[in-house]
């Protein structure tokens, strides 16, 4: 039986690939307090969609980044969460 979610899962992975560049670019701008709303939105969206399509680790890392940004954690913690998400997306896309 064919997986009815396979096309949606593929679209999600394509979106992840596109957002990977955005996340990498955020490494340079994340230090600017108050300018992280788009990154919070990206992390939130990734956390929900990744969980829906069975990519639990991407969801977990995206949620951790979102929480770090919302709570205005120190820059080291935010960068660590961002790097962990980037690494997990790269691993998932292999």
């Amino acid at each position: 039986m064919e997986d009815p979610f396979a096309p949606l899962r593929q679209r999600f992975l394509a979106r992840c690939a596109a957002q990977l560049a955005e996340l990498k670019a955020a490494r340079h701008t994340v230090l600017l307090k108050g300018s992280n709303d788009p990154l919070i939105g990206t992390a939130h969206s990734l956390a929900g969609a990744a969980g829906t399509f069975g990519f639990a680790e991407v969801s977990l890392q995206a949620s951790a980044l979102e929480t770090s940004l919302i709570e205005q954690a120190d820059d080291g913690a935010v960068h660590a969460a961002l790097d962990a998400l980037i690494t997990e997306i790269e691993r998932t896309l292999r």
Side-chain angles (χ1 to χ4, degrees), residues 6-42:
L8 294 173
R9 197 172 289 114
Q10 285 306 113
R11 233 168 58 198
F12 168 73
L13 290 172
R15 190 178 93 194
C16 278
Q19 287 177 318
L20 189 57
E22 179 184 331
L23 293 169
K24 287 180 177 182
R27 285 178 169 154
H28 306 290
T29 60
V30 77
L31 296 176
L32 305 173
K33 298 293 183 198
S35 67
N36 292 326
D37 286 350
L39 186 56
I40 291 169
T42 298

Side-chain angles (χ1 to χ4, degrees), residues 3-4 17 23 44 48-49 61 64 73-75 81 83 92:
D3 177 7
L23 293 169
H44 180 81
Q61 297 301 335
D74 67 79
D75 292 335
D83 287 342
T92 299

